């Protein structure tokens, strides 16, 4: 199969790309960092094809992806995404909000809009969106990040509705706390100590766990659609509602 993975230069995307290549597939890996894409190509060989652009830039996305044969793509993994900041909404940086919207929402829909007509035309394909438990369960400081992942969830659901009668599948993978990636380092803007504290003494999910889920979904026969898959480490739960007293 030919796989397009966005955000392939680190974290989930890098592991997903590695695992697809390791099982004999061809991966078009996208990302902003040309040096990391080149290093992956050197390591993984001819089955990894780098495509350098920023998904937050719609024009650059269209220009880059229209240079490849989109009709040949069998699986799209919309992985590129980020969280910025953990401040309450009234103290959040509006620029951070806009960046999350540009990457997590606009970037995802731009790539999907380019690929989807080709999948429909050949009556075959799989779209795997990387959402988050933040799209299902609110937490302090998630504000626009959580809302962007809720968009991914509902967009995935509505794609499923629109694709009735077509052999194109859509899955939303929804990870919880996952360590060993740049996620929290990016969220806390390079404060590595603060990022590390998030995962202290926690048996968290790993990028390998998320890639395993993606590989499984992609390997299923065309008549099986996994609508959504929510994953949390055993150490995490959504139980318990916080109450503020004396206000």
């Amino acid at each position: 199969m030919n796989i397009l993975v966005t955000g392939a230069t680190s974290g989930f995307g890098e592991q997903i790309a590695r695992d697809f290549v390791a099982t004999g597939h061809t991966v078009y890996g996208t990302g902003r960092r040309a040096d990391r894409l080149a290093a992956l190509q050197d390591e993984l060989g001819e089955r990894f094809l780098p495509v350098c652009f920023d998904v937050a830039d719609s024009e650059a996305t269209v220009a880059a992806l229209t240079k490849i044969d989109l009709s040949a793509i069998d699986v799209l993994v919309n992985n590129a995404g980020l969280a910025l900041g953990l401040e309450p909404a009234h103290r959040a940086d509006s620029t951070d909000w806009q960046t999350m919207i540009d990457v997590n929402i606009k970037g995802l829909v731009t790539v999907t809009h380019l690929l989807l007509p080709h999948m429909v035309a050949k009556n075959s394909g799989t779209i795997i969106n990387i959402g988050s438990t933040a799209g299902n369960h609110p937490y302090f400081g998630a504000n626009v990040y959580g809302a962007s992942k809720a968009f991914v969830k509902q967009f995935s659901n509505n794609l499923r509705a629109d694709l009735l009668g077509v052999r194109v599948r859509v899955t939303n993978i929804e990870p919880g706390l996952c360590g060993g990636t740049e996620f929290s380092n990016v969220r806390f803007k390079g404060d590595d100590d603060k990022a590390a504290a998030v995962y202290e003494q926690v048996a968290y999910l790993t990028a390998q766990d998320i890639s395993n889920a993606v590989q499984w979904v992609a390997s299923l026969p065309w008549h099986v659609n996994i609508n959504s898959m929510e994953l949390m480490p055993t150490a995490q739960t959504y139980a318990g509602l916080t109450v503020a007293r004396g206000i």
Side-chain angles (χ1 to χ4, degrees):
M1 292 191 296
N2 294 312
I3 324 291
L4 177 65
V5 181
T6 66
T9 56
S10 66
F12 298 168
E14 181 179 343
Q15 190 62 54
I16 291 165
R18 289 180 183 279
D19 289 347
F20 272 123
V21 169
T23 50
H25 303 293
T26 296
V27 173
Y28 292 83
T30 86
R32 293 179 295 109
R33 293 172 285 192
D35 56 336
R36 291 202 180 187
L37 290 173
L40 273 174
Q41 186 179 38
D42 289 342
E43 177 188 344
L44 300 178
E46 62 183 11
R47 289 191 178 275
F48 182 83
L49 304 173
V51 188
C52 188
F53 65 91
D54 184 351
V55 294
D57 184 334
S58 297
E59 291 185 2
T61 300
V62 173
L65 290 183
T66 51
K67 291 178 181 177
I68 68 176
D69 182 7
L70 296 179
S71 66
I73 302 299
D74 302 296
V75 178
L76 165 62
V77 183
N78 276 315
N79 165 74
L82 79 169
L84 292 171
L86 202 59
E87 296 80 13
H90 58 284
R91 293 206 298 268
D93 185 329
S94 64
T95 302
D96 288 347
W97 280 11
Q98 293 301 321
T99 299
M100 287 186 281
I101 290 168
D102 287 343
V103 176
N104 299 355
I105 297 178
K106 292 181 179 179
L108 183 144
V109 300
T110 299
V111 175
T112 302
H113 192 262
L114 288 168
L115 266 290
L116 189 58
H118 297 281
M119 290 184 172
V120 172
K122 65 182 182 181
N123 199 31
S124 175
T126 302
I127 297 172
I128 301 174
N129 295 325
I130 305 298
S132 171
T133 55
N136 302 329
H137 315 292
Y139 63 85
F140 296 119
N143 41 72
V144 167
Y145 174 70
S148 73
K149 292 303 185 176
F151 174 91
V152 173
K153 181 183 186 72
Q154 194 60 20
F155 181 61
S156 301
N157 290 341
N158 280 285
L159 284 178
R160 286 278 291 129
D162 287 346
L163 291 167
L164 179 64
V166 181
R167 295 184 182 183
V168 176
R169 304 180 297 173
V170 183
T171 297
N172 188 34
I173 304 289
E174 304 164 352
L177 184 67
C178 186
T181 73
E182 296 179 348
F183 179 84
S184 288
N185 305 79
V186 172
R187 163 168 267 172
F188 296 124
K189 301 178 182 178
D191 188 333
D192 294 339
D193 291 338
K194 195 171 183 179
V198 174
Y199 309 103
E200 286 180 356
Q201 299 183 355
V202 178
Y204 47 74
L205 295 177
T206 67
Q208 186 65 69
D209 296 323
I210 307 311
S211 181
N212 290 345
V214 170
Q215 306 298 314
W216 178 69
V217 167
S219 72
L220 294 172
W222 72 265
H223 70 280
V224 180
N225 193 103
I226 305 301
N227 295 334
S228 63
M229 183 189 301
E230 184 179 84
L231 303 89
M232 288 184 180
T234 306
Q236 183 183 31
T237 181
Y238 43 74
L241 297 175
T242 303
V243 175
R245 303 182 186 279
I247 61 174

